[in-house]
Amino acid sequence: MNHPFSLEGKTALITGGATGLGLAMTGCMIQAGARVVVVGRDKAHFDENCAQFGNKALFFASDVAQTDATPALADRILAATGCVDILVNNAGNHCKKPIEEMEPADFSRVLQTHLVGSFALTRALLPQMRARKSGSVLFIASMTSYIGQPYVMGYSAAKSGVLGMVHTLSAEVAADGVRVNAIAPGWIDTPMYRAATDNDPPRRAKILGRIQMNRVGEPADIGWAAVYLCSDAAKYVTGVCLPVDGGALVGF
């Protein structure tokens, strides 16, 4: 009998799984026993970062925002793997501008990736999960799902929308044995975080002042949270968003 936290024998699909927090989730899920399908736009990132995983990681090139191609992508992946037990909608983009400078096209482009793209891929893969009466769908939310941060109107709207998708979809598919959850990462020690704070000590101090643990997280903190939510250890957990933030949302 597998350990309840084991993903042995499972196939996980992670969009944007070759860089950043997606790469951390790929690594942790493989350590937990899963085979991981990485969907991304740039195979060079996969070749550079995922070679360490050998044949436990597969790559399919696609831009999730190009939803006309999603059904064919799902068909190709299912033909290669037989099934997808876990879907992690992680791929994202960003636009940081004051609202007066953020064009409607900027706003729409962020929603197209975070919301429309993840909706389309989830829609394409749900039937085979429902047919097996088993599956886990994980979305990646954000601190901006809960708190206001300036200059990221599109990103905040998208990440707030993720919560609505999780609530609605979990209610829709729970009876078919499919669980739907999200993770809201806090401030994590990634190259992006360092680039934003290394030369801005006041910003770094403001961030740390909000975090109860007084430190930023590690990418694997998100990876292991994803393993938990997609494993049998969380078999009675659906419709929730788990903040992994060192206490930032309740910080003072």
Side-chain angles (χ1 to χ4, degrees):
M1 179 179 178
N2 283 339
H3 193 282
F5 290 91
S6 172
L7 299 181
E8 197 69 40
K10 303 289 188 182
T11 297
L13 189 162
I14 304 177
T15 63
T19 59
L21 299 182
L23 177 61
M25 289 187 279
T26 294
C28 289
M29 288 199 177
I30 287 173
Q31 286 187 65
R35 172 178 56 169
V36 175
V37 175
V38 173
V39 172
R41 294 181 299 177
D42 190 343
K43 190 173 185 294
H45 289 147
F46 176 84
D47 291 341
E48 179 180 356
N49 297 326
C50 297
Q52 59 183 310
F53 305 130
N55 62 8
K56 284 288 190 176
L58 311 174
F59 181 80
F60 285 79
S62 185
D63 181 348
V64 298
Q66 303 300 317
T67 56
D68 288 347
T70 301
L73 171 68
D75 287 345
R76 292 201 312 273
I77 291 171
L78 292 172
T81 63
C83 71
V84 171
D85 303 286
I86 296 163
L87 169 62
V88 182
N89 289 301
N90 169 72
N93 57 0
H94 206 25
C95 179
K96 188 172 184 179
K97 295 179 181 179
I99 188 170
E100 296 89 351
E101 298 176 16
M102 186 177 293
E103 299 291 339
D106 296 326
F107 187 89
S108 296
R109 193 158 40 246
V110 176
L111 268 63
Q112 181 68 21
T113 295
H114 289 274
L115 292 182
V116 183
S118 60
F119 160 81
L121 188 55
T122 302
R123 178 178 180 268
L125 291 172
L126 265 175
Q128 49 94 41
M129 291 184 181
R130 297 178 95 167
R132 295 195 315 276
K133 298 291 183 182
S134 175
S136 179
V137 180
L138 185 66
F139 292 85
I140 303 302
S142 165
M143 293 289 97
T144 63
S145 302
Y146 297 98
I147 62 176
Q149 294 184 20
Y151 313 128
V152 291
M153 181 72 81
Y155 188 79
S156 176
K159 291 305 192 180
S160 298
V162 163
L163 300 184
M165 292 174 72
V166 167
H167 297 158
T168 296
L169 187 58
S170 65
E172 191 168 334
V173 301
D176 291 320
V178 180
R179 297 182 301 104
V180 184
N181 295 293
I183 293 171
W187 285 275
I188 306 297
D189 188 10
T190 62
M192 183 180 295
Y193 169 81
R194 288 186 224 114
T197 61
D198 280 354
N199 296 314
D200 191 347
R203 182 177 184 183
R204 185 169 62 247
K206 183 177 181 180
I207 290 170
L208 291 175
R210 183 178 184 113
I211 302 172
Q212 299 278 39
M213 290 185 174
N214 197 37
R215 62 177 176 84
V216 297
E218 301 171 359
D221 294 328
I222 306 303
W224 291 120
V227 168
Y228 161 67
L229 285 172
C230 296
S231 73
D232 286 345
K235 63 185 175 62
Y236 198 55
V237 178
T238 195
V240 307
C241 182
L242 174 65
V244 182
D245 65 355
L249 284 178
V250 294
F252 175 73

